[in-house]
Amino acid sequence: MIILKSKHEIEAIRKACQVVAECHRTIAPLIEPGITTNDLERIFEEVMQKHGAKPFQKGYRGYRYATCASVNDVIAHGFPSDKPLEAGDIVTIDTVAELDGWLGDSAWSYAVGQISPTAEKLMRVTKECLDLGIRQARPDNRLGDVTNAVQQHAESNGFGVVRDLLAHGIGRNLHEPPTYMHVGKPGKGVRLKEGMVLTVEPMITEGTYEMIIDPDGWTARTLDGRLAAQYEHTIAITADGPQILTAQ
Ligand code: MF3
Ligand code: CO
């Protein structure tokens, strides 16, 4: 059962989402060689605290941090650490803030110093996948219209679309129906309706989309060790089309 949200509820979710947006805006100018993902973790916690928001990921299913920090071949769910980021790295920071019982979820990939042309292309195409997917998220379209837009763009650029981690509805819970992969066929899948709030969060890989999880039980890496990037927004489907609640 997909839980539809009223306009009033969407405004409440937007408030949580805007705390996450501010977290990302705050770190964007600070990403440079030498900074650590633990530094970024602390900044995210400070921004959330300032707004009376809770770092929802901390303690969720035993996860111990406010952020996921996924460097290079890590697709998602990496742990923040004291290892300084190096020029040429790409790092994805993902977080969920809880405000007044509502959740906002957004991940962003950042370049550290000068990165390779391939890494640059991967980041650009992944961001374009997010935007193209979101553009299809309007009433009476199907989820397959969203996922196909992502898949087409990634694959036509020679990249892979991760299947093993899912996007999801969101509201008072982090993972609500529908949960879905970013691959599909136009006109297929769940019919989109005004009041749906969900994430669009393509994880795109330089090589294979296959994934392995480290012995820590969380860190998800590309099987071939090549790069991965991810951009994620929480969006609301309205009569006028998609609204990006985590817009920066
Ligand atoms: N923010 C993630 C998502 O996009 C969920 C992170 S899993 C956690 O769905 F356990 F680390 F919180
Ligand atoms: Co997320």
Side-chain angles (χ1 to χ4, degrees):
M1 256 292 290
I2 297 177
I3 306 170
L4 299 179
K5 279 81 180 181
S6 69
K7 287 193 172 129
H8 184 78
E9 289 170 327
I10 289 172
E11 289 320 306
I13 297 172
R14 193 194 308 275
K15 287 196 180 109
C17 286
Q18 279 302 302
V19 175
V20 175
E22 185 176 326
C23 289
H24 283 295
R25 282 199 307 269
T26 306
I27 63 162
L30 305 178
I31 307 281
E32 59 178 19
I35 198 164
T36 72
T37 47
N38 268 336
D39 296 331
L40 304 176
E41 162 87 3
R42 278 189 287 273
I43 293 166
F44 269 51
E45 288 209 88
E46 278 167 22
V47 172
M48 288 191 205
Q49 201 165 37
K50 187 176 91 182
H51 290 282
K54 211 182 104 186
F56 182 82
Q57 292 189 160
K58 209 169 182 172
Y60 179 74
R61 296 188 183 184
Y63 191 76
R64 297 198 311 281
Y65 308 92
T67 61
C68 300
S70 304
V71 181
N72 294 336
D73 65 318
V74 179
I75 299 167
H77 304 162
F79 298 154
S81 83
D82 285 324
K83 183 177 183 293
L85 292 169
E86 293 172 20
D89 287 343
I90 65 174
V91 59
T92 301
I93 307 295
D94 186 8
T95 202
V96 177
E98 177 181 346
L99 189 68
D100 301 328
W102 295 100
L103 305 182
D105 188 358
S106 177
W108 214 253
S109 289
Y110 298 93
V112 184
Q114 186 77 26
I115 61 172
S116 72
T118 316
E120 228 161 63
K121 181 182 171 194
L122 178 66
M123 287 180 63
R124 173 178 60 77
V125 168
T126 305
K127 176 59 168 53
E128 289 165 353
C129 284
L130 174 69
D131 295 339
L132 290 167
I134 290 173
R135 200 172 296 170
Q136 295 300 320
R138 53 173 188 263
D140 294 329
N141 259 6
R142 303 272 188 157
L143 213 36
D145 297 309
V146 174
T147 59
N148 185 259
V150 170
Q151 184 179 11
Q152 280 298 324
H153 191 60
E155 291 179 353
S156 66
N157 279 281
F159 295 141
V161 182
V162 170
R163 269 85 159 147
D164 295 345
L165 299 170
L166 305 178
H168 50 90
I170 182 168
R172 291 193 181 276
N173 305 296
L174 179 56
H175 297 119
E176 293 182 0
T179 51
Y180 69 96
M181 290 185 275
H182 297 82
V183 296
K185 295 200 168 70
K188 300 285 184 190
V190 169
R191 186 186 294 279
L192 301 177
K193 279 195 190 143
E194 185 177 355
M196 288 183 180
V197 175
L198 41 90
T199 68
V200 182
E201 49 175 309
M203 286 149 275
I204 306 300
T205 57
E206 189 188 349
T208 182
Y209 59 74
E210 285 183 283
M211 183 186 106
I212 44 163
I213 296 183
D214 282 1
D216 65 24
W218 285 98
T219 309
R221 291 177 195 275
T222 57
L223 185 63
D224 60 9
R226 296 175 77 185
L227 298 173
Q230 181 186 25
Y231 293 88
E232 172 186 29
H233 273 314
T234 297
I235 67 163
I237 295 172
T238 76
D240 305 327
Q243 278 193 14
I244 301 174
L245 304 181
T246 45
Q248 298 167 26

